[in-house]
Amino acid sequence: MYELDQQYLEELETIASEIQESDELARYLDSEEEEDFTRLKELYEPRIAHIYEAVAKDNPLQLISFELVLLDPIFEGLFLPKILGYSVLRGEVNDQVKYVRPQEHFKDILLAICSSTNFEILKKRIGQTIQIGFALSSDIWITNLINSITNKRIRYYLQGQKLDRYRRDSDRKVGLDRYHNQFRNDHFHTADFPTTAADLPVLFNPLKNFLIHRASVKVNNTSLLEPLDKFVTNESLQGTTEHMQVMAIYAMFYELSDASRKQLSNIFNKVREKSTGFSERFLHFLMELHHHPILKILPEADKKMSAIVDKTFNDKLSEYYQLLDIVHDKGYINEEAHEAVKVFYNKHEGMSTINECVRQTVFQYFNRFISNLEERHYPDLFDISKQFSVYMRIFVNEQFNQGLKDLSMNFVTRALTKFVDKRGKDYQDIKKFVASAFVDFGFLKEKEVVEMFKTRRKKKAE
């Protein structure tokens, strides 16, 4: 946890003073009406949220410090329901959809709300959050938390938020996913960087997910470069799989200075030389990133990683990045790239990790091209599909073929929604292409093509 910058702290102190001196607070304290508290919230929560977003985007490692400041009663509980939700979502969950570690920050915020003089109003905004937080927590942890509260009325309220409907793993998963969707556009992610080998297993997964998240959104990551450099140069962490994964993420997705890039390259290749099975572990992680639901490995990321890898080493990483240099520099539709991929691919087992990474690299080219293709540019699909058969013959992989089919079918479906005139040139061109190419590729059978373009008769009105 990093200390909050003085600038942010002063802004929060100014807001706190204004809250305490405001007519709105005086009116609420006199009336104790929810309507008056709502007016207070409408005036000051957006200002707190504005500072919070600035910290989240530019200095995410300071978020916990920011949230701890808001626990001061001088803020009257404003914005606490929001950060309570953030604290619930930050927790790492296991396969049973339970927290791997107790979420003490969630507890601290909840206790601050429970001790607030405005609890009766605040509780109307936190029910679902507590239900999910309790569902993910252990019974012992929940019991201890509730028993630490002296107010019987609040204890009864909290006990009522422990729902039977979240007893099953699958129900907790559904509940967590639905809850998370409410915050999908919010910036609240943060993490701690481990500094010792003992801390590494405990803090790594949240850190890894945080770094991947930051790489997948458009935010300023300058504040992360120094802690990343310190992590990379920490000798007590070097040689571990976790350290290798952070080096890979840093190299591929962050903007390194020339000095940091040189330093990272030296350490990466030093560890690579000393560590048994380094190439295999790296490629397994690369395959994990290729299949990540949010992050995409673009050619630029491969090029950044290639610049880190010393290709004088006689190992799979040198082979792999030498191939990618050809594919990215020549272009995946170039015949020289075709031949290089074919020779490389046949040199390794078809289902090997390294070949899977090659397939994913090529597939992502098709994915980006077709997914971003406008319907009116459908002739470009006809052209790029000439490359399908080339790579289908090289890879002989059903999953790759299915991926191309899904991309093509999704585009055709979109195009047919736009070109509805079945006698029009656009519709007929697409129909001819599907009838010929999709059958040749094995995407559809002839009967399926006929069914796809069959004109449905409207039922006669009775």
Side-chain angles (χ1 to χ4, degrees):
M1 181 178 71
Y2 279 46
E3 291 296 320
L4 190 62
D5 283 353
Q6 189 64 28
Q7 169 199 344
Y8 301 131
L9 188 57
E10 289 175 358
E11 291 181 50
L12 286 177
E13 289 173 347
T14 298
I15 292 176
S17 296
E18 291 181 18
I19 291 172
Q20 291 302 312
E21 296 170 5
S22 68
D23 294 337
E24 288 75 22
L25 178 60
R27 191 176 301 114
Y28 165 66
L29 293 176
D30 183 56
S31 69
E32 295 186 356
E33 293 291 336
E34 184 175 351
E35 180 181 344
D36 290 324
F37 185 84
T38 299
R39 177 58 180 159
L40 194 69
K41 177 173 73 72
E42 290 173 346
L43 280 175
Y44 293 102
E45 279 200 351
R47 291 175 60 185
I48 297 173
H50 179 73
I51 305 172
Y52 189 94
E53 187 173 355
V55 176
K57 286 185 176 180
D58 296 336
N59 294 281
L61 302 183
Q62 298 179 23
L63 279 179
I64 301 300
S65 294
F66 185 105
E67 293 173 3
L68 291 176
V69 172
L70 293 182
L71 302 189
D72 192 318
I74 198 172
F75 288 95
E76 299 293 337
L78 296 178
F79 209 65
L80 291 190
K82 178 70 78 172
I83 65 173
L84 185 70
Y86 295 158
S87 70
V88 166
L89 292 175
R90 289 192 192 114
E92 179 188 356
V93 297
N94 57 24
D95 292 339
Q96 287 73 49
V97 200
K98 285 285 189 178
Y99 285 135
V100 174
R101 287 172 298 282
Q103 294 303 298
E104 295 305 308
H105 190 51
F106 166 52
K107 174 184 173 182
D108 291 341
I109 300 172
L110 181 56
L111 290 177
I113 293 174
C114 290
S115 63
S116 172
T117 55
N118 305 316
F119 172 76
E120 290 301 321
I121 295 176
L122 294 174
K123 77 176 185 180
K124 297 179 180 180
R125 299 169 57 196
I126 61 174
Q128 186 185 17
T129 301
I130 300 173
Q131 291 163 15
I132 295 298
F134 280 5
L136 303 176
S137 302
S138 70
D139 289 342
I140 294 175
W141 187 85
I142 297 169
T143 300
N144 290 337
L145 186 156
I146 294 176
N147 288 341
S148 70
I149 297 173
T150 56
N151 188 306
K152 288 184 179 180
R153 180 170 43 82
I154 296 177
R155 286 211 305 267
Y156 290 147
Y157 168 77
L158 293 179
Q159 288 166 353
Q161 305 311 309
K162 192 167 179 288
L163 305 184
D164 287 339
R165 76 168 185 240
Y166 290 129
R167 286 189 176 277
R168 294 193 303 179
D169 299 0
S170 57
D171 292 331
R172 286 197 297 277
K173 178 70 166 60
V174 170
L176 179 59
D177 288 344
R178 285 177 178 170
Y179 185 73
H180 193 279
N181 282 338
Q182 300 176 36
F183 300 86
R184 61 182 177 273
N185 296 321
D186 290 16
H187 295 289
F188 60 86
H189 301 79
T190 188
D192 290 318
F193 279 80
T195 56
T196 67
D199 289 338
L200 191 58
V202 177
L203 301 177
F204 175 67
N205 280 337
L207 174 63
K208 172 183 170 181
N209 293 334
F210 167 71
L211 292 175
I212 289 176
H213 170 78
R214 295 291 296 193
S216 64
V217 295
K218 292 182 178 180
V219 286
N220 177 16
N221 287 320
T222 304
S223 67
L224 301 180
L225 302 184
E226 182 180 345
L228 277 166
D229 282 338
K230 288 181 178 178
F231 184 94
V232 168
T233 57
N234 190 329
E235 293 185 359
S236 68
L237 308 178
Q238 293 174 7
T240 63
T241 297
E242 293 90 344
H243 183 266
M244 176 270 292
Q245 292 185 2
V246 170
M247 285 197 293
I249 295 170
Y250 189 23
M252 287 191 282
F253 304 109
Y254 287 78
E255 295 300 324
L256 286 74
S257 66
D258 291 340
S260 292
R261 186 178 298 104
K262 183 178 180 180
Q263 176 178 261
L264 176 60
S265 180
N266 289 336
I267 293 173
F268 181 90
N269 291 297
K270 181 186 74 174
V271 174
R272 173 186 173 198
E273 185 176 22
K274 293 181 178 179
S275 301
T276 304
F278 184 92
S279 291
E280 277 301 321
R281 285 187 287 128
F282 182 90
L283 289 166
H284 271 289
F285 180 58
L286 196 61
M287 185 168 66
E288 177 187 329
L289 293 180
H290 270 298
H291 289 286
H292 196 276
I294 299 175
L295 196 65
K296 300 300 179 187
I297 301 181
L298 301 177
E300 292 76 14
D302 281 331
K303 290 177 181 179
K304 287 180 179 180
M305 193 67 238
S306 180
I308 297 296
V309 174
D310 183 345
K311 300 182 188 65
T312 63
F313 283 45
N314 184 23
D315 66 2
K316 289 184 178 180
L317 280 192
S318 293
E319 286 185 72
Y320 180 74
Y321 281 102
Q322 284 168 353
L323 173 67
L324 292 199
D325 287 346
I326 295 173
V327 172
H328 293 320
D329 292 343
K330 299 291 184 181
Y332 72 115
I333 64 175
N334 180 275
E335 290 185 4
E336 188 175 334
H338 293 165
E339 185 61 25
V341 171
K342 179 180 178 181
V343 171
F344 182 94
Y345 196 83
N346 290 336
K347 186 178 176 181
H348 301 90
E349 291 185 19
M351 297 302 291
S352 63
T353 303
I354 198 167
N355 274 356
E356 169 68 3
C357 290
V358 173
R359 287 196 300 271
Q360 284 298 320
T361 298
V362 172
F363 178 76
Q364 284 305 322
Y365 268 111
F366 287 120
N367 184 22
R368 287 191 298 277
F369 183 86
I370 298 173
S371 297
N372 294 315
L373 195 61
E374 295 183 19
E375 293 86 350
R376 60 192 176 90
H377 294 148
Y378 63 84
D380 292 343
L381 176 66
F382 303 170
D383 290 336
I384 200 65
S385 69
K386 297 171 185 176
Q387 300 294 320
F388 288 3
S389 56
V390 175
Y391 284 105
M392 289 169 75
R393 283 195 299 269
I394 293 173
F395 296 149
V396 193
N397 182 270
E398 187 57 38
Q399 187 179 31
F400 179 81
N401 297 353
Q402 183 64 42
L404 293 181
K405 174 184 175 180
D406 292 341
L407 287 175
S408 304
M409 287 293 292
N410 288 340
F411 178 82
V412 168
T413 300
R414 282 195 287 121
L416 293 182
T417 302
K418 182 177 180 64
F419 304 116
V420 293
D421 181 4
K422 295 193 174 185
R423 295 182 179 180
K425 179 181 182 302
D426 299 315
Y427 185 95
Q428 289 298 320
D429 285 348
I430 294 170
K431 180 179 179 180
K432 291 175 184 176
F433 168 71
V434 171
S436 174
F438 277 34
V439 173
D440 290 344
F441 295 144
F443 293 169
L444 294 174
K445 296 178 181 178
E446 291 183 3
K447 289 183 179 180
E448 292 173 320
V449 173
V450 172
E451 184 67 23
M452 183 177 178
F453 291 96
K454 181 188 294 184
T455 300
R456 311 293 176 185
R457 292 185 178 179
K458 295 182 180 180
K459 291 183 179 180
K460 294 181 180 180
E462 295 182 359

